[in-house]
Amino acid sequence: VLKLFKLLHRTRQEVFKNDTKALAAARQKINEEFKNNRDEKSEEKINELLKIASDVEVILRTSVIQAVHTDSDKIVLVPRKDLLQDNTPYLDKPTKK
């Protein structure tokens, strides 16, 4: 549980780097969720909560991207290495080998 708690906070710091509002909101939500379920005794429920937390960490790491307003009508995306993936181009008719 503690390992996952720390992993979520490290992921939060990486995903929301230089965004103090998002960092604070994510910190509060992570701490609140773990605190609300601190007294849970059921092993089944604990495993379910751990699975949810693990899924949240994966989604944060692989799906959330930062955007920065540069002008009133422009936004610059700030991708992380975790988000950059090789892309296979779409072909209407696959080539035969």
Side-chain angles (χ1 to χ4, degrees), residues 4 16-17 21 29 34 46 53 56 64 70 80 94:
L4 187 55
F16 300 117
K17 188 185 296 183
K21 286 183 181 181
K29 185 66 175 172
F34 274 81
I46 291 170
V56 166
V64 176
T70 56
R80 295 180 318 281

Side-chain angles (χ1 to χ4, degrees), residues 28-40:
Q28 180 182 358
K29 185 66 175 172
I30 292 167
N31 290 345
E32 178 182 307
E33 289 299 321
F34 274 81
K35 188 176 184 178
N36 288 344
N37 296 295
R38 176 177 50 196
D39 298 326
E40 185 61 51

